[in-house]
Amino acid sequence: MISSVLPTYNRAPLSFEKGEGAWLIEADGRRFLDLGAGIAVSALGHAHPSLVAALTAQAQSLWHVSNLYEIPQQTALADALVEATFADTVFFTNSGTEACELAVKMARKYWFDKDQPERVEILTFEGSFHGRSAAGIAAAGSEKMTKGFGPLVAGFTHLPFGDVQAVKDAINPNTAAILVEPVQGEGGIRPLADADLKALREICDETGVLLVLDEVQCGMGRTGRLFAHEWAGIAPDIMMVAKGIGGGFPLGAVLATEDAASGMTAGTHGSTYGGNPLACAVGHAVMKEVSTPEFLSEVNRKAGLLRQGLERLVASYPDVFEEVRGSGLMLGLKCVPPCGDVVAAGYKNEVITVPAADNVIRLLPPLNLTDEDIAEALVRIEATAKSITNA
Ligand SMILES: *Cc1c(COP(=O)(O)O)cnc(C)c1O
């Protein structure tokens, strides 16, 4: 008999009752070090005091109003994002994949309004992930996500990740945009080289094609800059954000330049919940914490500590780990045994990691984990590696 919850997930036999910082606690008191953070969502860990305060204060005054009315909490968060980034304007969604839907619509409407309605094609990359909506699965294109779901949204061309020449060859008079994750997350923590991101920007500058970045997983301080593309010294035209932006409250956003957003006039897009007062009150509290230079420099320092320790583990346990990769606190350990086995062995050692493609386990801890948490993470990952070596 089917379970009451639609069985679309292979769930681990773990259930948490409470979270504190980088820790998740089961009903029996077992404490797990959370290096997954709900897949890069709980950027400030669990039950962060300023997020709890923002949420409860807003909950006591007003939860929801329609986007038919002014929402000051939404304006405040949009102002903060515009102030801190390339963007001139922001639309709030509830998730990453809804941000993908709008990014695709925005890019196409841009060309439609420029009297080039044939420009609808979007170049995307193998191994990418843009969520599970109709446009998201068509954009990513892998059979795992698309098979059985009927006709796909048309207009996506999939190219080898990081192959700049393939992009140059694929650009044609119908190309609307390039859509890429600066660091692939689900694809196995695969960073695009800064030089390649720069090259994509140059191609877009030369051809007018819009550069759309999916920073749903790698954004909001994850790589040690507020957004990952800053490392390459470039800016996109449109950017998708979600996951960390709500710190655990469902929230996403599309950021854009005034020009790229120019087609999205009143009535062209909408969302019932997107950017409601509760979500934006929490999102603004997250933004205030993660966008400061002090916070980001701490992310980089901690990332260095964790990475150094992981490099040591790779050297000590070559039968378990092949390499460390990634950027900032978005790290991957390429595994020798099946990565799912390594994640499961981690559970036995009370440490949570997240599997990804390319046989990689992901480490996406809360960005504010402590130095003690990092030391403990290394102890537990080492115990996990030992348990596999000895098995
Ligand atoms: C998680 C993710 C998405 C989808 O976000 P949802 O909130 O699950 O819809 C899109 N793009 C990237 C890069 C992601 O990591």
Side-chain angles (χ1 to χ4, degrees):
M1 199 175 69
I2 195 167
S3 51
S4 61
V5 174
L6 189 72
T8 60
Y9 287 98
N10 276 319
R11 293 174 195 270
L14 300 172
S15 170
F16 305 106
E17 190 177 65
K18 195 175 156 53
E20 287 170 359
W23 295 82
L24 282 170
I25 302 143
E26 285 197 313
D28 64 2
R30 266 179 96 196
R31 294 170 65 84
F32 289 73
L33 184 53
D34 184 9
L35 304 181
I39 317 191
V41 166
S42 306
L44 294 171
H46 303 284
H48 188 279
S50 68
L51 271 55
V52 172
L55 180 76
T56 51
Q58 189 59 45
Q60 277 155 9
S61 63
L62 183 63
W63 291 22
H64 179 79
V65 291
S66 165
N67 280 302
L68 295 171
Y69 313 106
E70 299 288 342
I71 301 178
Q73 296 80 6
Q74 190 182 122
T75 309
L77 177 54
D79 285 349
L81 288 165
V82 164
E83 167 82 27
T85 67
F86 74 95
D88 302 312
T89 189
V90 183
F91 183 94
F92 292 102
T93 66
N94 310 291
S95 67
T97 206
E98 285 170 81
C100 181
E101 294 289 320
L102 173 56
V104 167
K105 284 174 71 176
M106 186 182 281
R108 289 176 171 179
K109 187 65 162 40
Y110 173 86
W111 289 113
F112 182 86
D113 283 9
K114 293 233 182 316
D115 290 326
Q116 292 181 252
E118 69 285 356
R119 288 181 78 150
V120 295
E121 284 182 17
I122 298 177
L123 304 181
T124 64
F125 295 92
E126 287 160 7
S128 67
F129 184 75
H130 303 294
R132 300 303 195 117
S133 62
I137 61 173
S142 84
E143 208 185 43
K144 200 177 127 204
M145 284 185 276
T146 58
K147 196 177 175 189
F149 296 115
L152 297 178
V153 175
F156 294 95
T157 303
H158 306 98
L159 303 171
F161 184 60
D163 189 338
V164 173
Q165 190 55 46
V167 174
K168 284 186 181 156
D169 295 342
I171 296 245
N172 68 74
N174 297 337
T175 308
I178 298 171
L179 166 58
V180 66
E181 293 158 85
V183 185
Q184 282 192 346
E186 307 298 309
I189 310 292
R190 300 200 295 168
L192 195 61
D194 287 350
D196 291 340
L197 200 48
K198 275 197 189 116
L200 294 182
R201 179 69 268 175
E202 277 164 24
I203 293 169
C204 289
D205 289 341
E206 285 159 18
T207 58
V209 165
L210 297 170
L211 182 62
V212 182
L213 296 183
D214 182 345
E215 294 227 16
V216 167
Q217 194 161 149
C218 62
M220 293 308 292
R222 180 59 49 194
T223 68
R225 301 291 287 263
L226 187 56
F227 290 102
H229 65 263
E230 294 171 26
W231 289 113
I234 61 108
D237 301 294
I238 299 172
M239 178 169 71
M240 298 154 50
V241 184
K243 294 206 163 97
I245 192 175
F249 199 96
L251 180 63
V254 174
L255 280 65
T257 63
E258 183 168 10
D259 185 40
S262 57
M264 303 307 293
T265 51
T268 56
H269 196 64
S271 169
T272 296
Y273 287 124
N276 94 351
L278 267 183
C280 288
V282 178
H284 199 183
V286 171
M287 185 65 190
K288 280 180 187 156
E289 296 281 337
V290 307
S291 61
T292 68
E294 300 73 35
F295 184 89
L296 292 168
S297 87
E298 275 294 281
V299 171
N300 286 304
R301 186 184 64 77
K302 288 170 186 173
L305 272 181
L306 180 56
R307 191 170 187 131
Q308 209 174 23
L310 294 173
E311 298 281 8
R312 187 173 52 73
L313 295 183
V314 169
S316 307
Y317 300 89
D319 297 341
V320 183
F321 301 127
E322 202 174 299
E323 65 161 343
V324 190
R325 61 205 202 195
S327 175
L329 287 172
M330 185 171 183
L331 294 169
L333 280 169
K334 177 138 171 125
C335 297
V336 180
C339 67
D341 295 353
V342 180
V343 170
Y347 296 151
K348 295 211 177 88
N349 290 282
E350 291 160 353
V351 59
I352 293 170
T353 59
V354 185
D358 204 23
N359 209 34
V360 161
I361 64 170
R362 276 177 283 177
L363 278 58
L364 308 160
L367 302 178
N368 61 347
L369 87 169
T370 65
D371 289 12
E372 295 73 49
D373 294 334
I374 291 171
E376 193 57 39
L378 293 167
V379 167
R380 291 179 186 217
I381 296 168
E382 176 153 20
T384 302
K386 261 196 193 127
S387 74
I388 290 169
T389 311
N390 297 337

